[in-house]
Amino acid sequence: MNATADELAGVVDLFGGLTRPELERALSEAAFRADGQSVDESALEAAIDDALESFALVEYERRVDDDRQSLLVAGPTAFPSVPEHAEDVPHILDIDRRRFDRDALGEQVYEQFVDAAESAVDADDDDRTRHLLDVSYDVEAWAPVDLASERDRLEASLE
């Protein structure tokens, strides 16, 4: 089973957010329900990395008791769609829906965006810079953040 970025976002959105191992397990369950298929772990890791790079998924660090937990959350560029055979996965995994502070999530995504913008500018990667310019508007619509100064920086690097 190969999942698109939007399907990955759809699965994590069923739960509010999932850790990487939980997402892998959820997709494995969905693949098994779809005629006993399996998940290619290296392809899944690459798909998650691509979804993170495109901001279809974002990472959210939260404190649970005395531990920190990193969750994958549907991001600002995602159009979450639940893959076939995955709709019952929440009942199978028995993971309660996760809720989190949207302001804190927005701040973390802001920081991730700034890091991505710095990397694109430092690498003189015009394609990535143009992509991030588009993403900046999605992030602002999705979270209570202001990326105007980052947009100015990205635009200046393209001149």
Side-chain angles (χ1 to χ4, degrees):
M1 170 183 213
N2 293 324
T4 67
D6 289 336
E7 289 172 331
L8 294 173
V11 172
V12 300
D13 202 40
L14 288 171
F15 298 90
L18 291 173
T19 64
R20 279 182 183 243
E22 289 169 342
L23 177 54
E24 182 178 323
R25 187 167 160 234
L27 290 171
S28 291
E29 289 290 341
F32 182 75
R33 292 174 51 86
D35 300 325
Q37 297 177 18
S38 63
V39 172
D40 178 337
E41 289 181 31
S42 62
L44 175 58
E45 283 302 314
I48 291 171
D49 291 342
D50 289 346
L52 287 166
E53 186 173 321
S54 70
F55 286 83
L57 289 178
V58 293
E59 289 187 277
Y60 176 63
E61 296 286 329
R62 71 179 195 161
R63 185 171 295 283
V64 178
D65 299 322
D66 289 332
D67 295 325
R68 295 198 59 75
Q69 182 182 49
S70 180
L71 296 178
L72 299 171
V73 178
T77 65
F79 292 96
S81 63
V82 179
E84 194 172 347
H85 304 289
E87 58 277 342
D88 291 331
V89 170
H91 305 295
I92 295 167
L93 296 185
D94 194 31
I95 295 173
D96 291 331
R97 181 158 182 79
R98 294 176 171 138
R99 304 198 188 297
F100 34 81
D101 180 337
R102 291 294 294 184
D103 290 336
L105 174 61
E107 185 60 33
Q108 288 182 26
V109 171
Y110 172 85
E111 291 171 11
Q112 292 168 25
F113 184 88
V114 169
D115 290 344
E118 284 178 8
S119 295
V121 168
D122 290 347
D124 265 340
D125 186 340
D126 289 351
D127 290 337
R128 178 78 171 143
T129 299
R130 284 186 193 89
H131 173 72
L132 289 172
L133 278 169
D134 290 340
V135 169
S136 71
Y137 295 103
D138 295 329
V139 172
E140 286 181 334
W142 183 81
V145 298
D146 180 3
L147 293 171
S149 63
E150 293 305 313
R151 251 190 315 279
D152 290 345
R153 183 171 174 216
L154 291 167
E155 288 171 349
S157 76
L158 291 171
E159 294 174 356

